[in-house]
Amino acid sequence: MDPITFDRERHVAFLEMMLERLPEDYEAQEINRLTLAYYVVSGLAVLDALDRVNKEQLISWVLSYQVHPISDADLKNGKFFGFGGAFQNFSNDDGKVSEHNFGHLASTYCAIAILKVIGYSFSNFEFTPILSSMRWLQQPDGSFIPIHVGAEADLRFVYCAAAICFMLNNWTGMNREKAREYILNCQSYDGGFGLVPGAESHGGATYCAVAALNLMGFIEMNILTKFSQPFILDINLLLGWCLEKQSTDGGFQGRTNKPSDTCYAFWVGGVLKLLGGYQFCDRDLLRRFVLSCQSPYGGFKKLPENIYPDVYHSFYGLSALSLLEEPGLKPLQVELGIPAVI
């Protein structure tokens, strides 16, 4: 395959194959079924190839992962009634095996995103339990944990919560002001964002911060009115940090002194797109880097020197090319991380 030629049909064939059966290397990702499906289905959507998907079958499959409360009391016990990543078997005291599913913010984001991408109507979707129980996951500092017990809190899950509320057009599931304060506290001295306050700036965390602020309606307000101290989003410093992440090979780093990686062509490129600074990066060199990560088997690899593609880097490689307006690809709704739904 010519490294600078985009081979659409090969990528469609790869993702269509991944939709039917994943390689055994993915067995360790059993609990992330909805996330893997999100990469594959959204990738096909970017390729304008959703005709390869049985939509009714997919809708039924996704909805089967939704966790439902049994009674009103369930909504008051702190559990999250979203979507779980997989069904898991547990042995009861009497030795019987029962099947359980636990709601997770990332899986819920992926489930709702899949449904939105394939055109599912949310008019008959009962999402009140999702939003009412999601409030339990927001912490006093404004961050979110992804599940009701035993999990970390960081920007990834603030983003998931904001995206869920945005897609459902209902913000009762979170306190936006508290979430805003947490996000802005994660901006580092160099302009980027760490996953938690005081952490090293990271491309994925920076995307989560900027995209969440955009979804919550704060980015435009910040540019026009400037938040009062101490919560000022320094956009000029942020743009500078993003542009500095483009390496001499054309790709974007996720962190300083790390190699370029296909996925950051979207994570960092998406931030630049949202803030109006995308025209300042070297887009020709970026395209050449992304295409150098194409696999001869279809799909995209993490690094040019890797051998095999994976669904994660395949989706974000395609998303990066969509930002670059590659012919034959659908445009993105950048802040949601999905193809634009018309």
Side-chain angles (χ1 to χ4, degrees):
M1 187 191 306
D2 184 341
I4 62 170
T5 300
F6 177 62
D7 193 337
R8 177 186 177 275
E9 290 307 314
R10 195 181 296 260
H11 298 308
V12 171
F14 170 76
L15 289 176
E16 188 177 13
M17 180 172 61
M18 294 299 101
L19 188 65
E20 294 296 325
R21 185 180 296 274
L22 290 169
E24 63 180 15
D25 288 349
Y26 286 92
E27 286 183 357
Q29 298 294 319
E30 173 69 16
I31 62 171
N32 296 318
R33 290 184 183 183
L34 286 170
T35 304
L36 296 172
Y38 161 76
Y39 298 143
V40 175
V41 174
S42 297
L44 286 170
V46 174
L47 288 161
D48 198 18
L50 281 179
D51 58 314
R52 313 296 178 96
V53 176
N54 184 325
K55 294 182 180 180
E56 293 303 316
Q57 185 180 63
L58 182 59
I59 289 169
S60 178
W61 180 78
V62 170
L63 292 178
S64 72
Y65 285 88
Q66 187 176 3
V67 183
H68 298 280
I70 298 174
S71 65
D72 290 341
D74 283 346
L75 294 174
K76 300 177 182 180
N77 64 8
K79 291 185 178 179
F80 176 49
F81 295 99
F83 289 78
F87 292 104
Q88 301 180 51
N89 293 325
F90 294 88
S91 295
N92 299 325
D93 293 337
D94 59 4
K96 293 182 179 179
V97 176
S98 59
E99 195 174 61
H100 295 273
N101 197 5
F102 299 98
H104 191 284
L105 264 182
S107 295
T108 302
Y109 159 73
C110 289
I112 295 174
I114 291 170
L115 294 173
K116 186 174 181 65
V117 164
I118 62 177
Y120 175 76
S121 173
F122 290 102
S123 59
N124 296 319
F125 179 60
E126 181 49 58
F127 54 75
T128 300
I130 294 176
L131 296 175
S132 60
S133 64
M134 194 167 79
R135 289 195 294 266
W136 290 97
L137 303 182
Q138 189 165 22
Q139 304 302 292
D141 65 356
S143 64
F144 276 82
I145 55 175
I147 195 167
H148 65 279
V149 64
E152 68 274 32
D154 60 51
L155 280 179
R156 293 171 299 172
F157 308 119
V158 176
Y159 170 74
C160 288
I164 290 165
C165 289
F166 185 90
M167 288 189 284
L168 296 179
N169 194 29
N170 188 314
W171 290 94
T172 61
M174 66 185 299
N175 182 321
R176 279 185 280 183
E177 292 296 328
K178 279 192 171 184
R180 173 187 68 109
E181 291 182 9
Y182 180 79
I183 292 170
L184 296 176
N185 275 327
C186 291
Q187 188 171 25
S188 181
Y189 71 92
D190 58 8
F193 286 78
L195 280 173
V196 297
E200 179 186 8
S201 295
H202 183 275
T206 301
Y207 169 85
C208 288
V210 173
L213 287 170
N214 184 288
L215 291 169
M216 293 189 291
F218 291 127
I219 286 287
E220 183 177 3
M221 288 172 58
N222 182 75
I223 294 173
L224 295 177
T225 66
K226 298 292 183 184
F227 289 129
S228 60
Q229 291 284 1
F231 301 119
I232 296 176
L233 176 61
D234 192 329
I235 289 182
N236 290 332
L237 192 63
L238 172 56
L239 285 172
W241 182 85
C242 289
L243 291 169
E244 288 171 358
K245 295 286 92 54
Q246 187 168 25
S247 301
T248 55
D249 61 9
F252 279 101
Q253 306 166 310
R255 291 180 288 158
T256 301
N257 295 325
K258 293 292 184 178
S260 301
D261 179 330
T262 306
C263 66
Y264 294 111
F266 170 77
W267 295 126
V268 181
V271 173
L272 288 169
K273 198 80 167 183
L274 289 171
L275 297 178
Y278 198 64
Q279 70 269 26
F280 299 119
C281 69
D282 189 329
R283 287 172 287 178
D284 290 337
L285 200 58
L286 177 59
R287 177 180 181 273
R288 183 175 289 272
F289 172 80
V290 175
L291 291 178
S292 74
C293 295
Q294 287 186 115
S295 166
Y297 309 107
F300 287 78
K301 304 169 289 182
K302 174 184 174 73
L303 306 170
E305 61 267 27
N306 290 157
I307 298 175
Y308 299 114
D310 63 81
V311 295
Y312 171 83
H313 289 95
S314 294
F315 172 56
Y316 287 116
L318 292 169
S319 295
L321 289 173
S322 175
L323 293 180
L324 290 163
E325 300 180 358
E326 185 74 24
L329 296 182
K330 296 190 69 174
L332 293 177
Q333 190 166 354
V334 182
E335 66 274 22
L336 282 180
I338 59 174
V341 179
I342 301 175

